Amino acid sequence: GQQLNQSPQSMFIQEGEDVSMNCTSSSIFNTWLWYKQEPGEGPVLLIALYKAGELTSNGRLTAQFGITRKDSFLNISASIPSDVGIYFCAGREETSGSRLTFGEGTQLTVNP
Amino acid sequence: DAGITQSPRHKVTETGTPVTLRCHQTENHRYMYWYRQDPGHGLRLIHYSYGVKDTDKGEVSDGYSVSRSKTEDFLLTLESATSSQTSVYFCAIRISLDKNYGYTFGSGTRLTVV
């Protein structure tokens, strides 16, 4: 099935630094979603994108739907310790109905 | 809170035994999904449902069956559990957002097959 390539796999940063991560696919997507997962919990939706070129913010988080419709980016500004977790991208192809495909996740560690 | 609960939260079972996991939602959403999460694989779709008695397979459906006899409950059954089915299982529902829709996940069921 369709695979999403998410990078980096892990990041170790200092508090206050900015973070960038991205996902790419070989097919065109019409929806991109970004989730955060903390230990022992399910993923929580951070940002949803539905239009090529769309740039959406949620507090210190900003995500963009790539112009080619084959990629998406998530940026976190001025990271804090509670940003620690696994961040997943997820996308929906035009031909996949309501089914989502997930990236493998980016494990973020923030050192105080 | 989209009112989605999974049960049990943890289960240990023996190889070859049947296991059923339950997902319950309280808001009458039409679409429900079962995913499994394994290191290095992210979340992979097992089965999904688009209405009562309407289900379809996902990318890793072998060894699993599902049932949806009423809107609020979506059951995942492992007919004969194997060690390769040790995983964390997440249920999700499709919800309406301002412009389109998103997906809300339950807290997961950690299943260990010994």
Side-chain angles (χ1 to χ4, degrees), chain A residues 9-85:
Chain A
Q9 286 189 325
S10 61
M11 302 182 74
F12 298 84
I13 63 171
Q14 293 297 124
E15 183 176 359
E17 291 182 0
D18 296 342
V19 172
S20 291
M21 58 192 79
N22 70 85
C23 271
T24 60
S25 77
S26 56
S27 336
I28 290 176
F29 279 30
N30 61 14
T31 300
W32 284 99
L33 305 171
W34 285 92
Y35 285 86
K36 179 187 178 185
Q37 185 179 26
E38 298 187 12
E41 296 297 327
V44 174
L45 183 62
L46 299 173
I47 294 178
L49 303 158
Y50 303 109
K51 185 177 176 182
E54 183 178 0
L55 186 71
T56 298
S57 293
N58 178 4
R60 293 177 296 104
L61 277 63
T62 301
Q64 184 163 24
F65 193 137
I67 291 292
T68 64
R69 299 174 65 189
K70 293 183 177 182
D71 57 7
S72 180
F73 305 86
L74 175 70
N75 296 316
I76 305 173
S77 63
S79 60
I80 59 178
S82 63
D83 289 334
V84 166

Side-chain angles (χ1 to χ4, degrees), chain A residues 35-37 41-45 88 102, chain B residues 43 90 103-106:
Chain A
Y35 285 86
K36 179 187 178 185
Q37 185 179 26
E41 296 297 327
V44 174
L45 183 62
F88 290 99
F102 280 81
Chain B
L43 288 107
F90 287 100
Y103 301 81
T104 295
F105 286 81

Side-chain angles (χ1 to χ4, degrees), chain B residues 82-104:
Chain B
T82 67
S83 58
S84 65
Q85 293 176 310
T86 292
S87 186
V88 182
Y89 292 85
F90 287 100
C91 175
I93 56 176
R94 194 181 82 170
I95 62 170
S96 296
L97 298 177
D98 286 343
K99 301 176 186 177
N100 206 306
Y101 52 81
Y103 301 81
T104 295

Side-chain angles (χ1 to χ4, degrees), chain B residues 11-19 78-83 85-86 111-114:
Chain B
K11 186 170 182 65
V12 179
T13 193
E14 292 186 349
T15 299
T17 60
V19 178
L78 290 66
E79 301 291 347
S80 177
T82 67
S83 58
Q85 293 176 310
T86 292
L111 177 67
T112 302
V113 183
V114 298

